[in-house]
Amino acid sequence: NMYKEFRDVNINGAVSQMYREMAGRHRAHPNTIQIINTATLQASECKRDHVTEMHNSKLKFPIITKMPMLAKRLRTTYQANRPMTFVR
């Protein structure tokens, strides 16, 4: 028996995540998995750390900026420094 929590927009997406995780971590086939109950939980009811760490309202992610492609004649195979892909 297992208790799992997944974050998704709807229950069908969460069930798909569960099937993928069970196949990846435990090598379980979908026909051997029995789902007993599914529910939508409030933030206060969540138990797992990987779910509750996303409840922080001040959570920020880096902004990735798209770099324009250089012309073919200006590109190099090797470059001395890495490109900056985020805004400070």
Side-chain angles (χ1 to χ4, degrees):
N1 294 340
M2 291 186 185
Y3 173 81
K4 298 261 182 202
E5 289 180 6
F6 295 97
R7 287 178 57 88
D8 206 305
V9 178
N10 55 18
I11 291 183
N12 290 338
V15 170
S16 297
Q17 283 184 32
M18 190 263 316
Y19 277 123
R20 286 191 205 110
E21 182 185 338
M22 294 298 289
R25 290 186 190 220
H26 306 287
R27 301 293 188 256
H29 296 283
N31 57 356
T32 62
I33 299 172
Q34 295 178 357
I35 299 173
I36 296 172
N37 187 17
T38 58
T40 304
L41 299 178
Q42 298 297 322
S44 60
E45 299 172 337
C46 294
K47 300 175 185 174
R48 304 290 189 237
D49 289 337
H50 69 277
V51 176
T52 56
E53 68 185 3
M54 296 293 179
H55 293 165
N56 184 2
S57 62
K58 296 177 181 165
L59 188 66
K60 292 183 179 180
F61 295 98
I63 298 172
I64 306 293
T65 58
K66 290 195 172 195
M67 305 294 285
M69 290 288 285
L70 288 174
K72 184 75 172 174
R73 62 186 174 81
L74 297 175
R75 290 186 209 162
T76 60
T77 304
Y78 301 104
Q79 192 156 359
N81 56 357
R82 292 174 183 243
M84 182 181 284
T85 58
F86 62 92
V87 179
R88 290 183 188 221

